[in-house]
């Protein structure tokens, strides 16, 4: 009987821990990729991007970093992934398709991020 109770208790503990808002590895990777996209967007020349897109990118970087820190993602891991993405797109024009994809993903993942 004790074994069954222990198995149920362990299952409930890990089930509740996951349901408590922890993100998956795939979500973390996608979030860091979007962090890189928004970081790259924020430093585009002003004459190549709409001001609202640049403002949104700057705000998104702050929101995403805060979210990832709450999820216990280290600054080193964030910076490494972000820099890898920025290096790929540096000097390229604003990517509206990626921006829309990241907006949709982040709005769904982070409560209140659309506001």
């Amino acid at each position: 009987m004790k074994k069954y109770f222990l198995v149920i208790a362990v299952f409930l503990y890990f089930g509740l821990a996951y349901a408590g808002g922890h993100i998956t590895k795939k979500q973390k990777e996608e979030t860091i990729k979007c962090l890189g996209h928004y970081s790259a967007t924020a430093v585009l020349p002003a004459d190549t991007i709409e001001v609202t897109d640049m403002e949104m990118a700057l705000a998104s970087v702050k929101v995403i970093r805060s979210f990832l820190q709450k999820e216990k993602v280290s600054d080193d891991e964030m910076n490494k992934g972000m820099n890898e993405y920025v290096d790929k797109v540096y000097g390229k024009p604003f990517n509206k398709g990626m921006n829309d994809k990241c907006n949709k993903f982040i709005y769904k993942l982070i409560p209140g991020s659309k506001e």
Side-chain angles (χ1 to χ4, degrees):
M1 181 69 171
K2 287 183 180 180
K3 287 183 182 180
Y4 293 117
F5 178 72
L6 181 61
V7 170
I8 291 171
V10 169
F11 178 76
L12 287 173
Y13 173 77
F14 285 109
L16 291 173
Y18 182 77
H22 297 291
I23 59 175
T24 65
K25 182 179 178 182
K26 184 177 178 180
Q27 288 172 320
K28 179 175 71 171
E29 290 169 355
E30 187 67 26
T31 303
I32 292 173
K33 186 176 180 181
C34 287
L35 176 63
H37 166 74
Y38 291 128
S39 297
T41 299
V43 296
L44 287 172
D47 62 343
T48 65
I49 186 171
E50 295 291 323
V51 173
T52 55
D53 289 324
M54 188 176 292
E55 289 173 343
M56 185 174 158
L58 289 168
S60 296
V61 167
K62 185 175 180 176
V63 168
I64 291 171
R65 279 194 169 278
S66 176
F67 172 77
L68 289 173
Q69 287 170 341
K70 288 178 185 172
E71 290 292 326
K72 308 290 188 231
V73 177
S74 71
D75 286 338
D76 288 341
E77 186 176 2
M78 277 188 263
N79 292 337
K80 182 179 183 250
M82 178 188 74
N83 289 336
E84 286 174 2
Y85 183 83
V86 170
D87 287 346
K88 288 179 188 176
V89 300
Y90 183 77
K92 294 183 181 174
F94 177 63
N95 185 340
K96 179 147 176 51
M98 181 64 173
N99 201 65
D100 293 344
K101 179 182 172 188
C102 282
N103 289 346
K104 183 177 178 181
F105 174 76
I106 295 298
Y107 294 162
K108 184 176 178 183
L109 181 67
I110 304 174
S113 59
K114 190 171 186 174
E115 289 80 38

